[in-house]
Amino acid sequence: QVHLVESGGGLVQAGGSLRLSCAASGRTITGYAMGWFRQAPGKEREFVAAISASGTSTYYADFVKGRFTISRDNAENTVYLQMSSLKPEDAAVYYCAAKRYGNTYRVYGNQKEYDYWGQGTQVLVSS
């Protein structure tokens, strides 16, 4: 069982930056593909970014390409989402997810493929 805890959310002005962290416990996330998703009020949860178990492949939703960067530190059992040039429409609860038993080099954009989820961290962006 993997327990995920997100942190780093908060209020930021449009154009600003935040770095979200997803700390895993229970077992190592080495070998797990990881992803970030978000859900804004009244909207469905949507894919943001993913990273392969190997860390060599990444995948981004079009609306964050060039602004967000996903990374992982297996030694720290943590995944990060660096967010820059934030827009008011980026405001949402951001969730971290882990997929077990995936291909080492694959990335996964479908939330149904993930096995473990964190509780989320709120990101607010003022205009």
Side-chain angles (χ1 to χ4, degrees), residues 103-115:
N103 180 286
T104 301
Y105 302 102
R106 266 195 68 185
V107 289
Y108 300 86
N110 187 337
Q111 55 187 300
K112 294 181 180 179
E113 297 184 280
Y114 287 85
D115 302 292

Side-chain angles (χ1 to χ4, degrees), residues 77-118:
N77 226 29
T78 302
V79 177
Y80 302 98
L81 185 68
Q82 177 67 48
M83 306 187 295
S84 303
S85 302
L86 282 161
K87 305 174 182 180
E89 52 264 42
D90 292 319
V93 177
Y94 282 72
Y95 298 92
C96 170
K99 173 179 171 56
R100 60 184 176 180
Y101 306 140
N103 180 286
T104 301
Y105 302 102
R106 266 195 68 185
V107 289
Y108 300 86
N110 187 337
Q111 55 187 300
K112 294 181 180 179
E113 297 184 280
Y114 287 85
D115 302 292
Y116 304 103
W117 292 84

